[in-house]
Amino acid sequence: MKNLLIILLLFASTLQAQRPGSEQIQALKTAHITQTLDLTSEEAEKFWPIYNKFDQQLEKNRKQERREIVSMVKGDVGALSDEEAEKLIEKMIDFKENQFTHYKNLVQELKGVIPPQKILRLRKAEEDFRRILMEQLRKRRKGRQ
């Protein structure tokens, strides 16, 4: 299994050199999570539709958050009035609450699909994958300098 992860990482670095699209990154994420959670074929068949729905909702929420918060800040937070800053803080809290609600729903839906230990490992698998991508990005940026 560790050899598979090494191969995936090498594949990821090759893809990143070719400016991968979100589909390629998603495929690598799917492989990483499947391997880390050690999903059986039956579990994977039920897990991925639930997880993909959650992931799409979360990404939609993140894009909306970036769009709305960036439009309010417009570069300089110091230029905001107290009222504008207060609205921005409330929006940020709303987005975080929305993300938390999506995550709670994901966990509830997964409870009947995979064991609790695998649900716990999911969060770590996501964080590990994000860290791997960031490391690859840093390496790529260093290579350009």
Side-chain angles (χ1 to χ4, degrees):
M1 284 293 176
K2 290 188 183 217
N3 290 338
L4 177 61
L5 183 58
I6 291 170
I7 291 169
L8 286 172
L9 290 175
L10 291 173
F11 182 64
S13 63
T14 303
L15 288 176
Q16 289 211 344
Q18 299 170 356
R19 301 187 140 257
S22 62
E23 291 175 13
Q24 293 166 321
I25 291 172
Q26 193 62 36
L28 291 170
K29 182 179 179 181
T30 299
H32 177 76
I33 290 174
T34 300
Q35 178 189 357
T36 302
L37 298 186
D38 195 24
L39 296 174
T40 66
S41 58
E42 294 84 24
E43 290 173 335
E45 186 178 321
K46 294 175 184 174
F47 171 85
W48 285 110
I50 295 168
Y51 183 81
N52 289 335
K53 182 179 89 175
F54 161 77
D55 203 35
Q56 289 168 355
Q57 290 171 335
L58 194 59
E59 184 58 28
K60 181 180 175 184
N61 188 51
R62 284 185 193 129
K63 284 180 182 179
Q64 183 180 0
E65 178 183 19
R66 283 189 300 259
R67 197 173 36 250
E68 290 185 24
I69 290 179
V70 167
S71 71
M72 286 183 76
V73 174
K74 296 179 185 142
D76 184 14
V77 177
L80 295 175
S81 69
D82 285 347
E83 185 179 317
E84 291 170 324
E86 200 59 48
K87 285 181 185 177
L88 184 60
I89 290 168
E90 288 303 315
K91 269 195 181 294
M92 291 168 57
I93 291 170
D94 289 345
F95 281 116
K96 294 303 176 194
E97 286 176 345
N98 193 336
Q99 288 174 358
F100 181 70
T101 299
H102 285 312
Y103 188 73
K104 277 178 45 176
N105 293 339
L106 171 70
V107 170
Q108 287 296 34
E109 287 186 53
L110 289 179
K111 281 185 177 180
V113 174
I114 59 175
Q117 295 84 0
K118 290 185 180 185
I119 294 173
L120 289 174
R121 287 192 304 198
L122 173 61
R123 189 72 181 161
K124 182 166 177 6
E126 291 174 318
E127 290 170 6
D128 289 348
F129 184 76
R130 198 171 300 116
R131 189 183 70 251
I132 290 166
L133 281 180
M134 295 306 292
E135 288 172 6
Q136 291 293 323
L137 181 60
R138 275 189 227 111
K139 286 178 185 177
R140 194 168 117 203
R141 286 182 179 165
K142 282 183 182 180
R144 287 189 206 164
Q145 295 174 354

